[in-house]
Short mmCIF file of all heavy atoms in Angstrom, two decimals:
data_model
loop_
_atom_site.label_atom_id
_atom_site.label_comp_id
_atom_site.label_asym_id
_atom_site.label_seq_id
_atom_site.Cartn_x
_atom_site.Cartn_y
_atom_site.Cartn_z
N ASP A 90 35.05 -13.18 5.87
CA ASP A 90 34.46 -14.33 6.56
C ASP A 90 34.53 -15.59 5.69
O ASP A 90 34.82 -16.68 6.18
CB ASP A 90 33.00 -14.05 6.93
CG ASP A 90 32.89 -13.19 8.19
OD1 ASP A 90 33.94 -12.84 8.75
OD2 ASP A 90 31.75 -12.88 8.61
N ASN A 157 32.08 -12.22 19.01
CA ASN A 157 30.90 -12.48 18.18
C ASN A 157 29.67 -12.81 19.02
O ASN A 157 28.58 -12.28 18.78
CB ASN A 157 31.21 -13.63 17.20
CG ASN A 157 30.03 -13.94 16.31
OD1 ASN A 157 29.28 -14.86 16.59
ND2 ASN A 157 29.84 -13.15 15.29
N ILE A 158 29.88 -13.64 20.05
CA ILE A 158 28.75 -14.05 20.88
C ILE A 158 28.19 -12.85 21.66
O ILE A 158 26.97 -12.64 21.72
CB ILE A 158 29.17 -15.18 21.85
CG1 ILE A 158 29.56 -16.43 21.05
CG2 ILE A 158 28.06 -15.51 22.84
CD1 ILE A 158 30.23 -17.51 21.89
N ASN A 161 26.42 -10.45 19.32
CA ASN A 161 25.07 -10.95 19.02
C ASN A 161 24.10 -10.62 20.15
O ASN A 161 22.97 -10.19 19.91
CB ASN A 161 25.08 -12.46 18.80
CG ASN A 161 25.53 -12.83 17.39
OD1 ASN A 161 25.57 -11.98 16.51
ND2 ASN A 161 25.85 -14.09 17.19
N ALA A 162 24.56 -10.84 21.39
CA ALA A 162 23.70 -10.55 22.55
C ALA A 162 23.31 -9.07 22.53
O ALA A 162 22.16 -8.72 22.80
CB ALA A 162 24.43 -10.91 23.85
N ILE A 163 24.26 -8.21 22.19
CA ILE A 163 23.97 -6.76 22.14
C ILE A 163 22.98 -6.46 21.01
O ILE A 163 21.98 -5.76 21.19
CB ILE A 163 25.28 -5.95 21.93
CG1 ILE A 163 26.24 -6.16 23.10
CG2 ILE A 163 24.98 -4.47 21.74
CD1 ILE A 163 27.61 -5.52 22.94
N LYS A 164 23.26 -7.05 19.82
CA LYS A 164 22.44 -6.78 18.62
C LYS A 164 21.00 -7.26 18.78
O LYS A 164 20.06 -6.59 18.38
CB LYS A 164 23.02 -7.57 17.43
CG LYS A 164 24.04 -6.86 16.63
CD LYS A 164 24.25 -7.51 15.26
CE LYS A 164 24.87 -8.87 15.28
NZ LYS A 164 25.43 -9.33 14.01
N TYR A 165 20.86 -8.48 19.31
CA TYR A 165 19.54 -9.10 19.32
C TYR A 165 18.81 -8.90 20.66
O TYR A 165 18.00 -9.73 21.06
CB TYR A 165 19.64 -10.58 18.93
CG TYR A 165 20.26 -10.73 17.54
CD1 TYR A 165 21.55 -11.21 17.38
CD2 TYR A 165 19.57 -10.33 16.41
CE1 TYR A 165 22.13 -11.31 16.11
CE2 TYR A 165 20.13 -10.42 15.14
CZ TYR A 165 21.41 -10.91 15.01
OH TYR A 165 21.99 -10.99 13.76
N THR A 166 19.14 -7.80 21.34
CA THR A 166 18.44 -7.42 22.57
C THR A 166 18.01 -5.96 22.42
O THR A 166 18.82 -5.13 22.00
CB THR A 166 19.38 -7.60 23.80
OG1 THR A 166 19.77 -8.97 23.87
CG2 THR A 166 18.70 -7.20 25.10
N VAL A 187 27.29 -16.41 28.01
CA VAL A 187 26.75 -15.08 27.72
C VAL A 187 25.23 -15.20 27.66
O VAL A 187 24.69 -15.92 26.82
CB VAL A 187 27.30 -14.53 26.37
CG1 VAL A 187 26.71 -13.16 26.07
CG2 VAL A 187 28.82 -14.47 26.40
N ASP A 189 21.52 -13.25 27.52
CA ASP A 189 20.84 -11.97 27.29
C ASP A 189 19.34 -12.12 27.54
O ASP A 189 18.83 -13.24 27.60
CB ASP A 189 21.12 -11.44 25.88
CG ASP A 189 20.54 -12.31 24.78
OD1 ASP A 189 19.32 -12.55 24.78
OD2 ASP A 189 21.32 -12.77 23.91
N GLY A 191 17.10 -10.85 25.41
CA GLY A 191 16.67 -10.26 24.14
C GLY A 191 15.54 -11.01 23.45
O GLY A 191 14.74 -11.68 24.10
N ILE A 192 15.54 -10.91 22.12
CA ILE A 192 14.40 -11.40 21.34
C ILE A 192 14.29 -12.92 21.31
O ILE A 192 13.23 -13.46 21.03
CB ILE A 192 14.44 -10.86 19.88
CG1 ILE A 192 15.72 -11.30 19.16
CG2 ILE A 192 14.32 -9.35 19.87
CD1 ILE A 192 15.74 -10.92 17.68
N GLY A 193 15.40 -13.62 21.60
CA GLY A 193 15.35 -15.08 21.63
C GLY A 193 15.28 -15.69 20.23
O GLY A 193 15.16 -14.98 19.23
N ILE A 194 15.35 -17.02 20.18
CA ILE A 194 15.34 -17.73 18.90
C ILE A 194 14.22 -18.76 18.93
O ILE A 194 14.17 -19.60 19.83
CB ILE A 194 16.70 -18.42 18.66
CG1 ILE A 194 17.82 -17.37 18.63
CG2 ILE A 194 16.69 -19.23 17.37
CD1 ILE A 194 19.21 -17.93 18.72
N ILE A 202 20.93 -22.88 13.69
CA ILE A 202 21.53 -21.57 13.90
C ILE A 202 23.04 -21.54 13.64
O ILE A 202 23.61 -20.50 13.32
CB ILE A 202 21.16 -21.05 15.33
CG1 ILE A 202 20.93 -19.57 15.31
CG2 ILE A 202 22.14 -21.45 16.39
CD1 ILE A 202 19.69 -19.15 14.62
N PHE A 203 23.70 -22.71 13.74
CA PHE A 203 25.16 -22.74 13.48
C PHE A 203 25.47 -22.99 12.01
O PHE A 203 26.63 -23.10 11.62
CB PHE A 203 25.84 -23.80 14.37
CG PHE A 203 25.85 -23.43 15.82
CD1 PHE A 203 24.92 -23.97 16.71
CD2 PHE A 203 26.78 -22.52 16.31
CE1 PHE A 203 24.92 -23.61 18.05
CE2 PHE A 203 26.79 -22.16 17.65
CZ PHE A 203 25.86 -22.70 18.52
N GLU A 204 24.43 -23.11 11.17
CA GLU A 204 24.67 -23.32 9.73
C GLU A 204 25.09 -22.01 9.08
O GLU A 204 24.66 -20.93 9.50
CB GLU A 204 23.39 -23.82 9.04
CG GLU A 204 23.09 -25.25 9.34
CD GLU A 204 21.78 -25.69 8.70
OE1 GLU A 204 21.33 -25.07 7.72
OE2 GLU A 204 21.21 -26.67 9.21
N PHE A 206 25.11 -18.92 6.94
CA PHE A 206 24.09 -18.00 6.42
C PHE A 206 22.71 -18.15 7.05
O PHE A 206 21.77 -17.51 6.63
CB PHE A 206 23.94 -18.09 4.89
CG PHE A 206 25.12 -17.57 4.15
CD1 PHE A 206 25.90 -18.39 3.35
CD2 PHE A 206 25.47 -16.23 4.25
CE1 PHE A 206 27.00 -17.90 2.67
CE2 PHE A 206 26.57 -15.72 3.56
CZ PHE A 206 27.33 -16.57 2.77
N TYR A 207 22.59 -19.04 8.05
CA TYR A 207 21.26 -19.19 8.65
C TYR A 207 21.00 -18.03 9.61
O TYR A 207 21.76 -17.76 10.52
CB TYR A 207 21.13 -20.53 9.39
CG TYR A 207 19.69 -20.87 9.65
CD1 TYR A 207 18.93 -21.51 8.68
CD2 TYR A 207 19.06 -20.48 10.82
CE1 TYR A 207 17.60 -21.78 8.87
CE2 TYR A 207 17.72 -20.74 11.04
CZ TYR A 207 17.00 -21.39 10.06
OH TYR A 207 15.67 -21.64 10.26
N ARG A 208 19.91 -17.32 9.37
CA ARG A 208 19.52 -16.21 10.24
C ARG A 208 18.04 -16.31 10.52
O ARG A 208 17.28 -16.75 9.65
CB ARG A 208 19.72 -14.88 9.54
CG ARG A 208 21.15 -14.54 9.21
CD ARG A 208 21.11 -13.78 7.94
NE ARG A 208 22.24 -12.89 7.79
CZ ARG A 208 22.67 -12.51 6.61
NH1 ARG A 208 22.09 -12.92 5.53
NH2 ARG A 208 23.69 -11.70 6.54
N VAL A 209 17.64 -15.88 11.71
CA VAL A 209 16.21 -15.89 12.01
C VAL A 209 15.55 -14.71 11.31
O VAL A 209 14.60 -14.86 10.58
CB VAL A 209 15.97 -15.83 13.53
CG1 VAL A 209 14.48 -15.85 13.84
CG2 VAL A 209 16.69 -16.98 14.22
N GLU A 210 16.12 -13.52 11.54
CA GLU A 210 15.56 -12.33 10.91
C GLU A 210 16.63 -11.75 10.00
O GLU A 210 17.56 -11.11 10.46
CB GLU A 210 15.25 -11.26 11.97
CG GLU A 210 14.01 -11.52 12.77
CD GLU A 210 13.80 -10.34 13.72
OE1 GLU A 210 13.31 -9.30 13.28
OE2 GLU A 210 14.17 -10.48 14.88
N LYS A 211 16.47 -12.00 8.71
CA LYS A 211 17.49 -11.54 7.76
C LYS A 211 17.67 -10.02 7.85
O LYS A 211 18.78 -9.52 7.85
CB LYS A 211 17.09 -11.92 6.34
CG LYS A 211 17.31 -13.39 6.05
CD LYS A 211 17.36 -13.62 4.56
CE LYS A 211 17.91 -14.97 4.18
NZ LYS A 211 17.41 -16.11 4.91
N ARG A 213 17.11 -7.77 10.30
CA ARG A 213 17.81 -7.25 11.47
C ARG A 213 19.31 -7.57 11.41
O ARG A 213 20.14 -6.75 11.73
CB ARG A 213 17.22 -7.84 12.75
CG ARG A 213 17.75 -7.15 13.99
CD ARG A 213 17.36 -7.89 15.24
NE ARG A 213 15.97 -7.73 15.58
CZ ARG A 213 15.54 -7.10 16.68
NH1 ARG A 213 16.41 -6.57 17.51
NH2 ARG A 213 14.27 -7.03 16.96
N SER A 214 19.61 -8.78 10.94
CA SER A 214 21.01 -9.17 10.86
C SER A 214 21.77 -8.27 9.88
O SER A 214 22.85 -7.78 10.17
CB SER A 214 21.11 -10.63 10.42
OG SER A 214 22.37 -10.90 9.89
N ARG A 215 21.17 -8.07 8.68
CA ARG A 215 21.83 -7.23 7.66
C ARG A 215 21.98 -5.79 8.14
O ARG A 215 23.03 -5.18 7.98
CB ARG A 215 21.01 -7.22 6.37
CG ARG A 215 21.15 -8.50 5.63
CD ARG A 215 21.21 -8.29 4.14
NE ARG A 215 21.27 -9.58 3.49
CZ ARG A 215 20.20 -10.29 3.20
NH1 ARG A 215 19.00 -9.82 3.45
NH2 ARG A 215 20.32 -11.47 2.66
N SER A 217 22.32 -4.64 11.00
CA SER A 217 23.39 -4.43 11.97
C SER A 217 24.73 -4.91 11.42
O SER A 217 25.69 -5.07 12.17
CB SER A 217 23.04 -5.12 13.29
OG SER A 217 22.66 -6.44 13.02
N GLY A 218 24.78 -5.16 10.13
CA GLY A 218 26.07 -5.47 9.49
C GLY A 218 26.49 -6.92 9.54
O GLY A 218 27.62 -7.25 9.20
N GLY A 219 25.59 -7.80 9.99
CA GLY A 219 25.94 -9.22 10.12
C GLY A 219 26.06 -9.93 8.77
O GLY A 219 25.37 -9.57 7.83
N THR A 220 26.94 -10.93 8.72
CA THR A 220 27.08 -11.70 7.48
C THR A 220 26.31 -13.02 7.57
O THR A 220 26.13 -13.70 6.56
CB THR A 220 28.55 -12.04 7.20
OG1 THR A 220 29.06 -12.79 8.31
CG2 THR A 220 29.39 -10.80 6.99
N GLY A 221 25.90 -13.38 8.77
CA GLY A 221 25.22 -14.68 8.94
C GLY A 221 26.21 -15.83 9.00
O GLY A 221 25.84 -17.00 8.94
N LEU A 222 27.51 -15.49 9.14
CA LEU A 222 28.53 -16.54 9.18
C LEU A 222 29.21 -16.64 10.55
O LEU A 222 29.95 -17.59 10.81
CB LEU A 222 29.60 -16.28 8.11
CG LEU A 222 29.11 -16.36 6.65
CD1 LEU A 222 30.20 -15.88 5.69
CD2 LEU A 222 28.71 -17.78 6.30
N GLY A 223 28.93 -15.65 11.41
CA GLY A 223 29.65 -15.56 12.69
C GLY A 223 29.60 -16.82 13.53
O GLY A 223 30.64 -17.33 13.96
N LEU A 224 28.40 -17.35 13.75
CA LEU A 224 28.29 -18.53 14.63
C LEU A 224 28.88 -19.79 14.00
O LEU A 224 29.40 -20.64 14.71
CB LEU A 224 26.83 -18.78 15.01
CG LEU A 224 26.26 -17.88 16.12
CD1 LEU A 224 24.82 -18.25 16.42
CD2 LEU A 224 27.09 -17.97 17.40
N SER A 225 28.81 -19.89 12.66
CA SER A 225 29.39 -21.09 12.04
C SER A 225 30.92 -21.04 12.13
O SER A 225 31.57 -22.06 12.34
CB SER A 225 28.92 -21.29 10.60
OG SER A 225 29.16 -20.13 9.86
N ILE A 226 31.48 -19.84 12.03
CA ILE A 226 32.94 -19.70 12.21
C ILE A 226 33.29 -20.00 13.68
O ILE A 226 34.23 -20.74 13.96
CB ILE A 226 33.42 -18.28 11.82
CG1 ILE A 226 33.22 -18.06 10.31
CG2 ILE A 226 34.86 -18.05 12.21
CD1 ILE A 226 33.58 -16.66 9.82
N LEU A 240 23.90 -23.65 22.70
CA LEU A 240 22.97 -22.51 22.66
C LEU A 240 21.63 -22.93 23.25
O LEU A 240 21.11 -24.01 22.96
CB LEU A 240 22.81 -22.07 21.20
CG LEU A 240 21.96 -20.82 20.97
CD1 LEU A 240 22.58 -19.96 19.90
CD2 LEU A 240 20.54 -21.18 20.56
N SER A 242 17.79 -21.14 24.19
CA SER A 242 17.06 -19.90 23.98
C SER A 242 15.58 -20.09 24.19
O SER A 242 15.05 -21.20 24.05
CB SER A 242 17.32 -19.42 22.55
OG SER A 242 16.73 -18.16 22.35
N GLY A 247 14.94 -14.61 25.76
CA GLY A 247 16.39 -14.43 25.79
C GLY A 247 17.16 -15.65 25.33
O GLY A 247 16.58 -16.70 25.06
N THR A 248 18.47 -15.46 25.25
CA THR A 248 19.34 -16.50 24.71
C THR A 248 20.57 -16.65 25.59
O THR A 248 21.07 -15.66 26.12
CB THR A 248 19.79 -16.10 23.28
OG1 THR A 248 18.62 -15.89 22.49
CG2 THR A 248 20.67 -17.15 22.62
N THR A 249 21.03 -17.89 25.74
CA THR A 249 22.30 -18.12 26.44
C THR A 249 23.21 -18.91 25.51
O THR A 249 22.81 -19.93 24.96
CB THR A 249 22.08 -18.95 27.72
OG1 THR A 249 21.12 -18.27 28.53
CG2 THR A 249 23.37 -19.11 28.50
N VAL A 250 24.40 -18.42 25.33
CA VAL A 250 25.39 -19.17 24.55
C VAL A 250 26.54 -19.48 25.49
O VAL A 250 27.01 -18.62 26.23
CB VAL A 250 25.89 -18.36 23.32
CG1 VAL A 250 26.91 -19.17 22.53
CG2 VAL A 250 24.72 -17.98 22.41
P1 LIG B 301 24.77 -12.61 12.10
O1 LIG B 301 25.90 -12.04 11.37
O2 LIG B 301 23.49 -12.65 11.30
O3 LIG B 301 24.59 -12.07 13.48
P2 LIG B 301 25.54 -15.17 13.35
O4 LIG B 301 26.06 -16.40 12.69
O5 LIG B 301 26.39 -14.53 14.38
O6 LIG B 301 25.17 -14.17 12.18
O7 LIG B 301 24.12 -15.54 14.00
C1 LIG B 301 23.17 -16.23 13.21
C2 LIG B 301 21.76 -15.85 13.59
O8 LIG B 301 21.46 -16.33 14.90
C3 LIG B 301 21.49 -14.36 13.66
O9 LIG B 301 21.16 -13.83 12.40
C4 LIG B 301 20.30 -14.30 14.64
O10 LIG B 301 19.10 -14.54 13.92
C5 LIG B 301 20.55 -15.48 15.56
N1 LIG B 301 21.16 -15.09 16.86
C6 LIG B 301 22.47 -15.20 17.20
N2 LIG B 301 22.67 -14.79 18.48
C7 LIG B 301 21.47 -14.40 18.94
C8 LIG B 301 21.00 -13.88 20.21
N3 LIG B 301 21.83 -13.65 21.24
N4 LIG B 301 19.67 -13.61 20.33
C9 LIG B 301 18.82 -13.83 19.30
N5 LIG B 301 19.19 -14.32 18.09
C10 LIG B 301 20.49 -14.61 17.91
#
Side-chain angles (χ1 to χ4, degrees):
D90 280 0
N157 180 262
I158 296 170
N161 278 346
I163 298 174
K164 270 197 293 197
Y165 302 108
T166 300
V187 179
D189 66 57
I192 60 174
I194 300 167
I202 217 71
F203 291 100
E204 285 177 23
F206 291 116
Y207 197 85
R208 295 146 153 155
V209 181
E210 283 183 79
K211 284 200 166 45
R213 190 190 286 246
S214 159
R215 285 219 183 85
S217 50
T220 58
L222 295 172
L224 281 181
S225 54
I226 294 176
L240 185 140
S242 186
T248 303
T249 304
V250 180

